Structures are given as C-alpha cells and as structure tokens.
Amino acid sequence: VITPKEYRMSGAVQKAREIVANTPDAYCLEQFKNPDNPKIHQETTGPEIWNDTQGTVDVLVVGVGTGGTLTGAGGFLKEQNKNIKVVACEPTDSAVLSGGNPGSHPIQGIGAGFVPRILDTGLIDEIVTVGGEEAMEMSRRVAREEGLLVGISSGAMVHAALKVGRRPENDGKLIVVVLPSAGERYLSSALYSSIFEECKQMPTVPMTDVDMSAP
C-alpha cells in the first residue's frame, strides 16, 4: 500500500490503522508508541555498545525515526554513565525536534514529521540536522572509502557524527554512531543514480578469439 507523499509518515500511519480497523484479526504494532520498541534496545543495543567499548563510549549519535533506538540505547548508556552525551540526528527539511515544521525529505527512516510518543526527549543533549544531499553524499563516501554499502539515513548519521567529532572539545573522545540502513535497497534510487548513469557510459572492451567453452 502506497500513500500520497504529501501526507508523509502521518498519512501512512493513518492508513495502517484504517486497514486494521477493516481487517478481521488484524493487529498494528504501532512502532511509534509501542514500549517494546525502546525496551529491546535497552536490553540489547545499549549493552552491546557498552560492552564492545568496555564502557569508554563518550558520545552516542543516533537518528530519530521511531525514537526506539535513542530512548532504549541512550537511556541504558546514561544509566551506566550520566556524562555520556546523546546526539539526535534529524533531517534539515523536517526538523521537528529542533522546533521546525514537518516537511518532505529524502532521508528515509528518520524525520517522521512529528515527535514519536516513545521518544524520551529528556535524554537528548544535542540535535544535529542533516540535509538530504549531505546524507546521500556521505553514504556514497562511506561506500567508496570504507567499503560499507549503507543507506541514506546511515549517511546522515555519519555526517552528524563527523560534525560532532570535529569539535575541539571532542578531541580524543569515543563517538559511537548507529547505522540503521543498508544500501542495497537504494540501488535504483537517487542515492546511486549518478553512479548508475556513469556506469552506463563506460565503453565496452573489444575481445577477439574468445573460447566460449571455457569455464
């Protein structure tokens, strides 16, 4: 089911509820307000970050989609060390957490256009906004330089993390960033359209005396 883009995530949520209301034995998981969402991140993601960094993490950078990762993992980490900073990332064109208006943007998975019910805004120490082009360029850069095929929202997270990490006060600090999306689902999207067009223009290499029976 595809809903009109001008209604953004609110329209998709409303349509999901309509489907449930008209479908026998249907159930909506309600990811934006289901307490099990942050709960699983408090039980798994947060402890994983804490254990893998041996408790030395200083800053957590995470995007806000449903708010589950930030609330669960961020809450757990602050319970271990109240000095850990939690940085929320949201799209420049839909910076609702920053006090702006909801809007359309290409960073799928974050920036729903409203404040999710399960999001604990009290955990947020700072909000960093990222533009759509900035996110996509960083996604491509991560693929080229790090060999990680990531999605647009992951590019936004890395962009935000680097912005925070460049500050003098964060020199030498351990910054953990959560990359929530993989890139294979974006191969036919604007993220890789320029690379696709570039590949289409690549000349073929002439070959002669090819043994077609060779394995």
Side-chain angles (χ1 to χ4, degrees):
V1 176
I2 299 177
T3 54
K5 65 179 182 179
E6 60 266 26
Y7 296 120
R8 298 183 289 276
M9 183 57 69
S10 295
V13 171
Q14 180 178 327
K15 185 61 179 179
R17 291 171 179 165
E18 289 178 2
I19 293 173
V20 170
N22 294 290
T23 305
D25 300 320
Y27 180 76
C28 186
L29 296 177
E30 294 285 3
Q31 60 178 343
F32 291 100
K33 63 180 183 179
N34 189 332
D36 283 338
N37 183 342
K39 182 174 181 288
I40 193 63
H41 288 289
Q42 185 176 38
E43 295 175 349
T44 60
T45 313
E48 180 180 356
I49 293 172
W50 182 256
N51 294 332
D52 285 356
T53 63
Q54 298 181 340
T56 61
V57 54
D58 296 300
V59 182
L60 174 67
V61 179
V62 60
V64 177
T66 64
T69 306
L70 188 149
T71 300
F76 174 86
L77 293 174
K78 280 184 174 288
E79 288 176 357
Q80 313 311 306
N81 180 359
K82 64 180 180 180
N83 294 318
I84 291 175
K85 303 299 182 183
V86 174
V87 178
C89 176
E90 67 174 347
T92 301
D93 294 327
S94 190
V96 174
L97 297 177
S98 303
N101 296 320
S104 299
H105 61 88
I107 311 177
Q108 300 176 37
I110 66 172
F114 54 86
V115 180
R117 187 178 301 182
I118 61 172
L119 176 64
D120 184 353
T121 57
L123 296 171
I124 301 174
D125 295 292
E126 181 185 356
I127 301 170
V128 175
T129 59
V130 179
E133 286 301 322
E134 292 174 322
M136 287 191 282
E137 177 52 38
M138 185 56 69
S139 298
R140 293 188 284 264
R141 180 181 167 189
V142 170
R144 290 193 307 267
E145 299 180 17
E146 303 297 337
L148 298 174
L149 188 63
V150 300
I152 301 173
S153 59
S154 293
M157 302 308 108
V158 175
H159 181 92
L162 289 175
K163 183 176 182 179
V164 171
R166 291 190 186 103
R167 297 172 185 163
E169 65 269 23
N170 290 327
D171 184 37
K173 291 186 176 180
L174 179 57
I175 300 174
V176 173
V177 54
V178 178
L179 305 186
S181 60
E184 66 269 12
R185 68 191 64 181
Y186 297 99
L187 293 178
S188 61
S189 74
L191 176 57
Y192 291 113
S193 60
S194 60
I195 297 176
F196 180 69
E197 290 301 320
E198 181 181 339
C199 291
K200 286 172 60 178
Q201 302 303 317
M202 294 176 65
T204 56
V205 179
M207 299 178 67
T208 59
D209 299 325
V210 178
D211 183 0
M212 298 301 293
S213 65

